[in-house]
Amino acid sequence: MTQPLSPAPSIPLRFQRFPGAQMLERAKAFRVEIAQRRSVREFSPDPLPEGLLDECLLAAGSAPSGANQQPWTFVVIEDREVKRKIRAAAEEEERAFYASRASAEWLAVLAPLGTDWNKPFLETAPALIAVFRQAYGLEGGEKRDHYYTQESVGIAVGFLLAALHHAGLATLTHTPSPMGFLNQILGRPVNEKPFVLIPVGLPAPSCRVPDISRKSIGDIRRRV
Ligand code: IYR
C-alpha cells in the first residue's frame, strides 16, 4: 500500500523553556542519575509493581524513528517456563561463544566484567524484555520497506534503559549471539529480528558490580 504524498496536519509544539541556570541544574541532576545505572547480573525475584513496565515501554515507544515507522516490538516475559527455555537456549549459544566462537582478543576485553556462559539471571529476574527490530513491515502479509531501523531501535532501547532506571529498576543489556531462538520461543514473525534481551528487576541485596570507570569529558568530546 502506498502512503498519501501529503504532510500530516500540524499542531503547536509543546516545549518547556527553562532559565539557563535551571537548565544546567537539570542537566547535572540527570547526568548524576543516569550515570548511576549499572549493568546488573544478580537479580532479586521480587515481582514488579503492576503497570510499571508498560509506562517504561511507552517512554521507549516515544523515541524518534525513521519515517516515524516505530519499527520495534517489545515482548515482556514473566512466565517461568518461557524464561527457563530462554535461559537454556541462551546458555547453549554462550557456551559455544566462550569455548570457541569468541577470539582471544574479545575474551581478553570481557575478562574484567567477569562474565561467562552461565546466565542464571535469565530465570531469576522477574521479567525479561525481548526487543525486536522490524527490519521491514509485514502488515497483511505485504512487505513494506523500513528505514534506519538499527538507529531507531537503538535510540528506543536507550530511552527504555533510562526509563527503567528512573523508575527504580535494574537492567542488563544481554545479547546472546545468535539470538534467533527468541523468534522461535516467542513466536515472532520473520520480519522481526532480535535486537537485545533485557532482564529487569530489583538487584539482589548481595549484588556486586565490577569497579570500572567511564571516560572523562576530555576523552569523549572534541570541540570545533
Ligand atoms: N554475549 C556474551 C558475551 C558478552 C559480550 C559483550 I561485547 C559484553 O559486553 C558482555 C558479554 C555474554 O553475555 O556473556
Side-chain angles (χ1 to χ4, degrees):
M1 209 176 58
T2 47
Q3 301 285 318
L5 295 173
S6 58
S10 73
I11 51 171
L13 172 69
R14 287 183 58 173
F15 188 93
Q16 218 178 333
R17 281 179 178 257
F18 301 100
Q22 207 181 329
M23 289 168 86
L24 198 57
E25 238 171 64
R26 290 169 58 91
K28 181 171 178 184
F30 183 74
R31 183 259 292 176
V32 167
E33 183 187 343
I34 200 70
Q36 259 170 27
R37 184 205 163 271
R38 294 297 310 263
S39 288
V40 161
R41 294 180 171 83
E42 295 161 57
F43 288 88
S44 137
D46 297 351
L48 307 177
E50 191 60 38
L52 190 57
L53 291 187
D54 280 357
E55 283 300 331
C56 298
L57 291 173
L58 286 169
S62 74
S65 64
N68 191 36
Q69 288 175 317
Q70 305 167 56
W72 40 65
T73 305
F74 303 97
V75 181
V76 177
I77 303 128
E78 295 174 282
D79 183 90
R80 273 182 174 288
E81 181 54 20
V82 178
K83 286 195 286 176
R84 192 196 59 75
K85 281 187 192 161
I86 289 175
R87 177 183 178 182
E91 286 185 341
E92 196 176 318
E93 300 298 352
E94 295 291 275
R95 266 207 185 82
F97 173 84
Y98 284 95
S100 56
R101 276 193 210 136
S103 63
E105 196 178 342
W106 194 344
L107 291 177
V109 293
L110 282 182
L113 305 181
T115 56
D116 59 23
W117 63 268
N118 192 22
K119 306 297 177 193
F121 50 76
L122 291 175
E123 281 188 276
T124 330
L128 310 175
I129 302 173
V131 183
F132 289 85
R133 174 180 68 90
Q134 298 168 1
Y136 51 93
L138 249 193
E139 294 93 60
E142 241 184 271
K143 263 192 164 185
R144 192 164 65 119
D145 284 346
H146 280 173
Y147 307 97
Y148 294 102
T149 58
Q150 298 280 7
E151 292 84 349
S152 303
V153 180
I155 294 166
V157 167
F159 275 35
L160 178 58
L161 295 174
L164 291 165
H165 176 70
H166 185 68
L169 293 170
T171 52
L172 175 68
T173 48
H174 181 43
T175 51
S177 174
M179 275 192 283
F181 63 83
L182 287 174
N183 285 76
Q184 207 202 335
I185 295 175
L186 301 173
R188 299 314 305 164
V190 289
N191 63 314
E192 295 190 6
K193 312 296 176 192
F195 189 79
V196 68
L197 183 57
I198 306 176
V200 46
L202 294 171
S206 59
C207 179
R208 296 181 68 85
V209 291
D211 185 10
I212 52 176
S213 62
R214 270 74 181 254
K215 291 181 179 177
S216 70
I217 188 68
D219 288 330
I220 64 173
R221 186 259 291 121
R222 296 289 175 272
R223 298 182 90 147
V224 176

